[in-house]
């Protein structure tokens, strides 16, 4: 068994345990493997071990990997078994065209201008781009993410764009060692998500939780955890190896 396979199994067990403790069904939580900084071979290994959804932060790097994983697959046909690619990093206007052409999801939409560009640039032969709005739940002034007070207006505008499909919210709270503190911030995101759903938005995705805080996120209602290091190992060690 490869390290990645073993790590994946351990992460899946953490998710199942967290679901059991929260009285949730394990099928309610999707695992997104965050493969940023790791090469196509790491993705292939995880894919061979049953992983289907992958997250990338850097557009150029992500597109290169998407194309590498499609090698030998006829144009227009899906990979077998299919891979779902999520863009989870901050998005600049000059990168939206590449994202719209290659990714299946964008979780980091935090302003209308970016959403409008993705909508215009999504190729007509592809299904609508699946969207999460990134929300700044802990209020840091320099952080990406829409302010909670502006979330409803953004959700309203984005859901009117025909080539996008609004699926939910994503948040990246400041790291904390305390389960209580982690939970408190995740519950704020959960409340915003509940409010939008109560307001008529058909959302099914609450993307929160990473390697160090996925248990708190699952207990607060996360439906998608984004896990990098616990699957692929430490990124600095990896970068040092690949630079050597
Ligand atoms: C890197 C990253 C992750 C994964 O973080 P780990 O701590 O490696 O699990 C999740 N979400 C986003 C937005 C990231 O940038």
């Amino acid at each position: 068994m490869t390290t990645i396979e073993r790590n994946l199994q351990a992460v899946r067990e953490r998710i199942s345990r967290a679901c059991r403790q929260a009285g949730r069904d394990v099928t309610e939580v999707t695992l997104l493997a965050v493969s940023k900084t790791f090469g196509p071979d790491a993705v292939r290994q995880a894919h061979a071990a049953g992983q289907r959804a992958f997250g990338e932060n850097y557009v150029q790097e992500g597109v290169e990997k998407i194309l590498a994983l499609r090698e030998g697959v006829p144009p227009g046909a899906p990979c077998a078994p299919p891979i779902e690619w999520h863009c989870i990093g901050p998005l600049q206007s000059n990168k939206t065209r590449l994202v719209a052409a290659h990714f299946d999801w964008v979780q980091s939409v935090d302003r209308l201008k970016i959403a409008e560009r993705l909508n215009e640039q999504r190729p007509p032969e592809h299904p609508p781009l699946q969207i999460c709005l990134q929300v700044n739940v802990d209020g840091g002034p320099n952080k990406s993410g829409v302010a909670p007070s502006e979330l409803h207006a953004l959700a309203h505008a984005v859901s009117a764009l025909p080539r996008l499909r609004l699926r939910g919210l994503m948040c990246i709270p400041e790291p904390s060692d305390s389960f209580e503190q982690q939970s408190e911030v995740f519950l704020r995101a959960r409340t915003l998500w509940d409010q939008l759903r109560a307001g008529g938005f058909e959302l099914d995705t609450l993307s929160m939780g990473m390697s160090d805080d996925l248990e708190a996120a699952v207990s607060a209602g996360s439906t998608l955890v984004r896990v990098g290091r616990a699957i692929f190992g430490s990124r600095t060690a990896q970068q040092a190896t690949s630079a050597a």
Side-chain angles (χ1 to χ4, degrees):
M1 196 188 271
T2 67
T3 305
I4 288 178
E5 210 175 342
R6 207 167 29 242
N7 288 348
L8 264 173
Q9 208 168 61
V11 170
R12 289 181 191 131
E13 276 161 22
R14 282 175 64 189
I15 295 171
S16 317
R17 203 174 320 125
C19 283
R20 256 194 322 276
Q21 274 168 7
R24 302 182 59 197
D25 195 294
V26 69
T27 58
E28 292 173 27
V29 181
T30 300
L31 172 58
L32 182 75
V34 178
S35 41
K36 65 182 175 204
T37 78
F38 292 88
D41 277 340
V43 175
R44 280 192 200 98
Q45 278 186 41
H47 186 239
Q51 180 60 31
R52 296 294 171 258
F54 292 87
E56 290 287 336
N57 282 60
Y58 312 106
V59 174
Q60 194 62 45
E61 179 197 330
V63 169
E64 280 166 23
K65 247 172 271 180
I66 292 170
L67 294 175
L69 268 288
R70 286 195 59 83
E71 247 170 58
V73 180
C79 294
I83 301 186
E84 196 176 83
W85 290 99
H86 294 233
C87 174
I88 60 175
L91 250 187
Q92 257 94 56
S93 294
N94 61 355
K95 295 286 169 56
T96 52
R97 187 175 298 279
L98 269 176
V99 170
H102 294 283
F103 282 85
D104 304 297
W105 284 69
V106 182
Q107 297 197 9
S108 41
V109 170
D110 64 357
R111 53 196 197 278
L112 184 57
K113 183 178 166 215
I114 293 289
E116 285 172 340
R117 290 177 66 91
L118 291 169
N119 179 63
E120 277 161 30
Q121 294 168 346
R122 180 66 166 171
E125 67 274 18
H126 289 352
L129 194 54
Q130 311 297 304
I131 300 290
C132 288
L133 302 179
Q134 182 177 346
V135 54
N136 180 357
V137 270
D138 43 11
N142 302 318
K143 288 183 64 176
S144 351
V146 59
S149 59
E150 289 158 24
L151 177 62
H152 190 277
L154 182 61
H156 190 72
V158 168
S159 56
L161 299 172
R163 300 294 295 142
L164 306 186
R165 174 145 177 249
L166 181 60
R167 297 289 294 269
L169 302 182
M170 186 270 261
C171 68
I172 317 174
E174 282 303 312
S176 155
D177 291 335
S178 136
F179 183 90
E180 280 65 38
Q181 217 166 318
Q182 293 167 3
S183 303
E184 198 260 320
V185 179
F186 287 139
L187 282 170
R188 262 185 257 162
R190 166 66 186 270
T191 301
L192 293 169
W193 189 70
D194 284 341
Q195 285 168 350
L196 288 176
R197 282 162 43 109
F201 292 96
E202 288 176 20
L203 309 182
D204 60 8
T205 304
L206 182 55
S207 169
M208 56 189 195
M210 320 204 296
S211 291
D212 293 334
D213 56 13
L214 72 86
E215 282 81 3
V218 168
S219 81
S222 170
T223 71
L224 184 146
V225 292
R226 310 177 309 267
V227 178
R229 287 167 300 135
I231 297 172
F232 296 108
S234 135
R235 282 183 290 273
T236 43
Q238 157 74 13
Q239 281 154 338
T241 334
S242 54

